[in-house]
Amino acid sequence: MSDIVVFGAGGTAGSRIVAEAYNRGHRVVAAVRRPEATSYLPAGVRVVTGDATSERSVRELAPEADALVVAIGGGDHTLWPDAARALLDVLQSMPAAPRVIHVGGGATLLTPAGGRLLDEPDFPPEYRDAALGQAAALDLYRSSADGVSWTYVSPPPLEFHPGERTGKYRTGTEHPVTDTDGRSVLSYEDLAVAVIDEIEKPRFRNMRFTAAY
C-alpha cells in the first residue's frame, strides 16, 4: 500500500487515477482547487485544497507521500512547467522525496523521422500552446538534478478519451504505440491503470513512457 497524492484529482484523468488507486487499496489524497466540487470521488479518499504550481502546497503534501501524481489541466500553457518547477524545487531539498508521476501531453511524442508531433506542419494551431507547455515541463524534468525520481506519462496524441477499463495496454517510450492499422488509442481508465502500475512496479524511472492498446 502506498500513500498517493493526486494533483488535479477533480479532472478527467485525475479522477480516474484517484479511483484506480483507491480501488487497489492505496491511501489517496485528492488535491484540488475546489474541494466542494468533488462529491463524485470515492468516499474513502481524503480531499484537500492543493495546487501543484504552489511550492507551499507541494511542501505541505509531499512529506507523507510515496508518490505525487500531476494530472492538472487548464487554459494557461504555463501551468505544466510551473508545476514541474515547484515540484522539483521542493523535492530536491527533501532527504527522502516522493516520486513524481506527471501526466503529460501526447504531442511531445516523436514522429518516425524523430521530430516532435507538435512541430509537424499540420499540427492544429489551437493546441500548440498547450503542447509547448507540456514539452517545457518534460524538458525541466529531464534537466533536473539527481535526487528526484520522476516519470512523465504521455497518452496517445489523438485518440485518448473516456471509455472502458480493460486493464490491458502496451507501452513505449518516445514514439506512439500503434496497432496494425497505425492507430494509437487508449481510454482514460486504462491510462489510470498504467499510472498506478508504474507506482506499484516502477519500470520508467527518470524517463517518459507512453501507453496504448
Side-chain angles (χ1 to χ4, degrees), residues 146-160:
D146 293 338
V148 177
S149 178
W150 59 270
T151 299
Y152 187 102
V153 187
S154 287
L158 293 176
E159 297 188 71
F160 177 48

Side-chain angles (χ1 to χ4, degrees), residues 47-109:
V47 179
V48 301
T49 301
D51 179 357
T53 67
S54 164
E55 289 190 17
R56 180 178 178 179
S57 281
V58 175
R59 196 171 287 111
E60 289 175 349
L61 294 170
E64 297 182 6
D66 299 305
L68 303 175
V69 178
V70 181
I72 57 177
D76 186 351
H77 69 278
T78 66
L79 184 71
W80 298 287
D82 285 349
R85 287 189 196 94
L87 288 156
L88 291 168
D89 286 348
V90 171
L91 300 184
Q92 284 169 355
S93 64
M94 292 180 61
R99 290 185 68 196
V100 175
I101 310 292
H102 183 112
V103 179
T108 61
L109 292 165

Side-chain angles (χ1 to χ4, degrees), residues 9-39:
T12 306
S15 61
R16 285 159 173 80
I17 293 167
V18 166
E20 181 70 24
Y22 180 76
N23 290 337
R24 293 206 208 179
H26 297 290
R27 291 181 291 267
V28 185
V29 174
V32 295
R33 294 184 176 183
R34 296 177 56 237
E36 68 276 8
T38 56
S39 59

